[in-house]
Amino acid sequence: MSIIIKQASADDASFLAQMILQSSRAGKKDGLFDVLFGIDDDKVILEKLEKLTQTEAKSHCHYKNFLIAQMDGKNVGTLCSYEPRIATKEAFVQALKEIGCGDEINKPLEIVYNCSFDTNKSRLMFDFMEELEGFIDVGVLKALMQKSLLSARLKGYRIVQTIIEIGSLEAELFYKKLGFKIVDKKECEDYREMFGRTGVMLLAMEF
């Protein structure tokens, strides 16, 4: 079966929500959006994430940042690439407010952003690299990455970065296979208390 890579549209919001939630949890019980929304109901969380992909504010979760991999007409994977100078922290906060979030998001966002990096605004960021269960090791993520790197080069980028949690071994191994190298690590006690992971790491690749 061949893999087709397409640009996501607003019609893909439901699938994007599923992949965003899966990526944010990364094997944990609760991911960022579980904490931000404060809801123990996947259906409601997914509904909110669908809305988040279509806000006026162009956060990194916006559908226009995503590529989708398809096999036999079925969506099987995603990869998000965004420009930090556009998809800022402020844009993310505004997008969350658009879907009805209030001041409850301030503390978890503060913890997340304190345990992060001042990424170079001239470099493209990757996020939400996910595939459906049952489609692992069939080349879905590799195809998404190749297309994303091609698009990045056409935009003038030569270095791409991503941030993953310390302990996300599968993601770390995959990125390293593609040529990414660990640039920095940051351990944070507040982050560990909230998510059960010691912190995050920054990976980058020049291509």
Side-chain angles (χ1 to χ4, degrees):
M1 293 185 291
S2 62
I3 301 171
I4 295 174
I5 307 299
K6 71 156 195 162
Q7 177 66 48
S9 71
D11 293 336
D12 298 306
S14 177
F15 181 69
L16 295 179
Q18 181 183 350
M19 293 294 95
I20 290 171
L21 183 57
Q22 180 175 306
S23 177
S24 69
R25 286 175 175 170
K28 308 184 297 295
K29 178 181 181 294
D30 293 324
L32 174 62
F33 297 101
D34 297 277
V35 176
L36 286 178
F37 300 152
I39 300 168
D40 188 20
D41 185 332
D42 282 5
K43 182 179 178 181
V44 177
I45 293 173
L46 288 168
E47 287 174 352
K48 287 181 174 291
L49 286 174
E50 283 187 41
K51 295 177 181 177
L52 189 63
T53 67
Q54 302 172 75
T55 55
E56 289 294 323
K58 300 300 189 293
S59 77
H60 63 296
C61 297
H62 197 276
Y63 72 84
K64 289 185 176 180
N65 295 324
F66 283 83
L67 291 179
I68 291 179
Q70 293 183 323
M71 296 181 72
D72 284 346
K74 176 183 175 68
N75 292 339
V76 296
T78 60
L79 180 58
C80 166
S81 60
Y82 66 93
E83 298 175 278
R85 63 184 180 84
I86 297 174
T88 60
K89 172 186 176 181
E90 291 74 22
F92 188 39
V93 170
Q94 182 58 39
L96 288 167
K97 289 182 177 179
E98 278 187 49
I99 65 169
C101 294
D103 291 342
E104 73 278 358
I105 66 174
N106 293 338
K107 183 178 179 180
L109 282 183
E110 180 181 0
I111 290 172
V112 169
Y113 282 111
N114 282 345
C115 194
S116 191
F117 307 95
D118 291 326
T119 53
N120 192 317
K121 295 293 189 294
S122 67
R123 298 176 181 179
L124 198 68
M125 294 294 297
F126 284 167
D127 204 348
F128 305 126
M129 181 180 68
E130 287 294 322
E131 58 195 336
L132 285 181
E133 187 176 351
F135 290 90
I136 299 172
D137 297 330
V138 296
V140 170
L141 297 183
K142 185 176 181 180
L144 282 164
M145 185 66 71
Q146 288 174 340
K147 181 67 173 178
S148 293
L149 290 175
L150 176 61
S151 298
R153 182 175 289 276
L154 291 174
K155 290 179 180 178
Y157 289 99
R158 294 295 179 268
I159 298 176
V160 291
Q161 298 180 315
T162 190
I163 296 173
I164 63 173
E165 290 178 322
I166 297 171
S168 296
L169 299 179
E170 289 185 6
E172 180 182 347
L173 179 61
F174 183 78
Y175 277 117
K176 284 182 175 178
K177 282 183 177 179
L178 290 170
F180 282 76
K181 295 181 180 179
I182 297 175
V183 176
D184 200 359
K185 290 185 178 182
K186 193 168 187 178
E187 297 186 4
C188 311
E189 183 59 27
D190 287 343
Y191 193 95
R192 186 193 65 76
E193 289 182 4
M194 181 165 286
F195 298 111
R197 296 282 171 85
T198 58
V200 294
M201 62 177 73
L202 176 68
L203 294 89
M205 179 178 69
E206 187 171 356
F207 62 100

